[in-house]
Amino acid sequence: MNIGLTGGIATGKSTVSSMLIRKGALLVDADIIAREVMLPGHPVLAAVAAHFGQDIIQADGQLDRKKLGEVIFNDPEERLALNGITHPAIRQEIRRQMAEYEAAYPDRLVVVDIPLLYESELQTLFEKVVAVYVPREKQIERLMERDKITEEQALARLNSQMDIEQKKSMADEVIDNSGTMEETSEQVDKLWSRLVP
């Protein structure tokens, strides 16, 4: 069985995916794939540099994520342009890894962690979608603390994604990660028993 795992920035998707992995799930991580397509020498990075200009590339050939972030978090059209360049390659790699896992381990739960699952309209790839949820105020608080950014910067990032309440209402299952680790772990245990016979 495969599930799509989503949520907003700083809701704790990594925490939940780690708990599922410890239980025996296999993970396909869209964030890791997204970083890999932005490595020096990758055709996707070359296409991004062609669109956004060479100044988003550092002297060592690496992407200057901060510079690119300043552009895309403040300009919805440029964010769409970036997604148009990167998403097809990311989707292709997600599908490849899912197929590989499903062929090699037909009895294991495959968890695909995709922050922008609904925004990318990928929900049809999965048997179930699980959203990791915390209220927006907590999201802002955690994001400011985690990334050492201002409230204004945190809001710009949150506003670049679908609202967490909307994701919560669309999901088949919800893990509320606004309490203690124990409470989250308990919900993951219950989810696991529903998903893995």
Side-chain angles (χ1 to χ4, degrees):
M1 180 184 196
N2 66 56
I3 62 167
L5 184 72
T6 195
I9 302 174
T11 54
K13 286 182 311 302
S14 305
T15 302
V16 171
S17 64
S18 298
M19 289 175 177
L20 289 165
I21 291 163
R22 282 199 295 275
K23 291 183 157 298
L26 298 164
L27 179 68
V28 176
D29 189 326
D31 274 347
I32 289 174
I33 295 169
R35 279 196 290 276
E36 286 169 354
V37 302
M38 291 297 212
L39 290 174
H42 199 289
V44 171
L45 179 61
V48 169
H51 177 88
F52 290 93
Q54 286 302 318
D55 61 333
I56 63 152
I57 305 295
Q58 297 170 340
D60 62 359
Q62 298 282 339
L63 173 69
D64 187 330
R65 292 182 177 280
K66 202 170 180 180
K67 252 186 197 156
L68 182 62
E70 281 164 15
V71 176
I72 63 157
F73 288 125
N74 294 303
D75 186 335
E77 281 182 20
E78 288 291 38
R79 189 165 59 249
L80 285 173
L82 177 68
N83 292 347
I85 299 167
T86 59
H87 285 187
I90 295 167
R91 269 197 287 270
Q92 188 181 349
E93 182 58 17
I94 286 170
R95 285 195 180 99
R96 191 196 67 73
Q97 288 185 22
M98 281 172 67
E100 201 174 272
Y101 278 153
E102 285 164 5
Y105 308 99
D107 301 332
R108 303 271 291 274
L109 177 68
V110 178
V111 176
V112 186
D113 181 340
I114 308 181
L116 302 178
L117 186 145
Y118 288 118
E119 291 89 333
S120 308
E121 298 180 351
L122 294 176
Q123 56 270 42
T124 55
L125 287 181
F126 307 104
E127 291 168 61
K128 276 191 187 306
V129 174
V130 178
V132 182
Y133 171 82
V134 300
R136 189 175 167 90
E137 310 72 62
K138 202 174 220 27
Q139 230 185 327
I140 293 165
E141 205 177 284
R142 286 183 181 177
L143 185 56
M144 286 167 66
E145 193 179 313
R146 185 190 79 185
D147 293 0
K148 307 286 178 253
I149 57 175
T150 65
E151 186 170 355
E152 190 184 356
Q153 289 169 312
L155 283 167
R157 291 184 191 185
L158 287 192
N159 293 336
S160 73
Q161 294 188 345
M162 182 185 285
D163 185 79
I164 191 63
E165 297 298 335
Q166 197 177 346
K167 289 185 181 188
K168 181 184 178 185
S169 69
M170 292 169 79
D172 301 301
E173 302 271 357
V174 176
I175 299 286
D176 186 329
N177 190 33
S178 53
T180 64
M181 277 293 221
E182 290 70 29
E183 288 165 335
T184 299
S185 180
E186 228 168 81
Q187 292 174 72
V188 170
D189 289 346
K190 286 177 180 159
L191 174 70
W192 183 265
S193 60
R194 286 196 296 276
L195 298 179
V196 182

